[in-house]
Amino acid sequence: MTKLDSETLVKNPTIAIEKLNHFFGKGELRKQVLFDINLEIKSGEIVIMTGPSGSGKTTLLTLIGGLRATQSGSLKFLGMELCQAKEKQLVKARSNAGYIFQAHNLHHSLTALQNVMMGLEIHPHYTRQDMKTLATKALQEVGLGDRLHYYPEDISGGQKQRVAIARALVSHPKIVLADEPTAALDSKSGREVVEIMQNLAKEQGCTILLVTHDNRILDIADRLVYMEDGKLVSKT
């Protein structure tokens, strides 16, 4: 697995954001979408970010995960400064994060096992057999040991999201970033999904930052963060 060196992880075990601003567009169309964000997330912490649609939650999540470049301020991801970072640094950040989205983003032409194996392909030192073994174990941990060779069209919405969780956690990332993971699920399936995510992340000792409008799952958080109009307005 590609990891930051252990010394860096020990010294910088958090997400640390200071005076972060972000803009979309250029020239006259330039619009500020994040304003002076200050946030620190401790290693192993489960933080839920909530707030109205369009408040900047997903934008902040993608910046933290290195999915887009940070423009202004400071954003340290496991000790790496991502503001004005080069693509190589962003790739390194991505390799230490697991991603779970509202749309599970599974490849419909691949089985559950093959989809989870994809979560290891950015870690080149794994053999094909290693990937298969780890992916099988990850699917067993989310209760899908009997669905390894099922295609996405043959399993339920909750099971698809379990496959997505297995894919996100199979490489034992330091941080899991989840964007509305329960939005398309009923109450029971949504609860099961976040509890699986919570238990596995705690076992692995990784941090979770979860964006949601789902008030039914707020109790899993160690801390709640509320965003409005591109600003962090409360942290409880």
Side-chain angles (χ1 to χ4, degrees):
M1 189 190 313
T2 302
K3 289 187 176 181
L4 301 174
D5 63 87
S6 57
E7 183 179 350
T8 300
L9 289 173
V10 169
K11 289 182 178 179
N12 303 281
T14 63
I15 297 169
I17 303 171
E18 294 182 5
K19 298 181 179 179
L20 177 69
N21 295 283
H22 197 73
F23 302 82
F24 287 149
K26 295 181 179 179
E28 293 182 0
L29 298 177
R30 192 170 189 251
K31 179 182 178 182
Q32 188 166 359
V33 293
L34 295 178
F35 299 81
D36 199 29
I37 302 294
N38 293 283
L39 178 66
E40 184 171 286
I41 300 177
K42 299 175 183 177
S43 179
E45 195 174 21
I46 298 177
V47 175
I48 287 183
M49 186 185 303
T50 188
S53 296
S55 58
K57 302 184 302 296
T58 296
T59 299
L60 181 56
L61 197 76
T62 57
L63 290 171
I64 290 171
L67 297 178
R68 61 178 55 161
T70 303
Q71 300 164 343
S72 166
S74 175
L75 194 166
K76 291 182 179 178
F77 178 106
L78 299 173
M80 285 190 298
E81 178 59 70
L82 297 189
C83 186
Q84 306 294 331
K86 303 295 184 183
E87 181 61 22
K88 184 177 180 181
Q89 292 170 290
L90 294 177
V91 169
K92 191 173 184 180
R94 291 173 207 145
S95 72
N96 282 276
Y99 304 92
I100 304 168
F101 300 102
Q102 175 180 345
H104 40 74
N105 292 344
L106 301 182
H107 289 263
H108 291 281
S109 62
L110 302 179
T111 65
L113 181 64
Q114 291 168 332
N115 268 286
V116 176
M117 288 171 67
M118 288 188 66
L120 294 167
E121 288 183 351
I122 59 172
H123 304 286
H125 70 274
Y126 285 122
T127 67
R128 197 73 183 167
Q129 185 56 50
D130 288 338
M131 293 168 65
K132 186 175 181 179
T133 300
L134 290 168
T136 298
K137 183 174 184 292
L139 284 165
Q140 290 170 341
E141 288 175 339
V142 299
L144 293 178
D146 59 344
R147 297 289 191 272
L148 300 181
H149 304 296
Y150 281 56
Y151 290 89
E153 64 183 21
D154 299 321
I155 58 179
S156 70
Q159 289 171 334
K160 290 173 186 175
Q161 201 63 301
R162 291 186 188 203
V163 175
I165 291 170
R167 181 180 58 191
L169 290 169
V170 68
S171 64
H172 287 225
K174 294 298 179 183
I175 297 175
V176 171
L177 302 170
D179 192 3
E180 299 285 3
T182 66
L185 303 177
D186 60 50
S187 177
K188 182 175 184 294
S189 296
R191 187 74 197 181
E192 289 173 351
V193 159
V194 295
E195 286 181 352
I196 288 169
M197 189 189 316
Q198 177 189 32
N199 292 335
L200 289 177
K202 286 295 187 184
E203 286 174 13
Q204 295 183 12
C206 74
T207 302
I208 295 179
L209 176 58
L210 189 155
V211 167
T212 190
H213 288 104
D214 190 348
N215 292 332
R216 300 168 300 183
I217 65 170
L218 299 184
D219 60 296
I220 74 158
D222 297 314
R223 185 157 51 108
L224 301 178
V225 174
Y226 187 83
M227 284 194 74
E228 190 171 318
D229 297 327
K231 301 174 183 177
L232 281 181
V233 295
S234 70
K235 291 173 276 187
T236 60

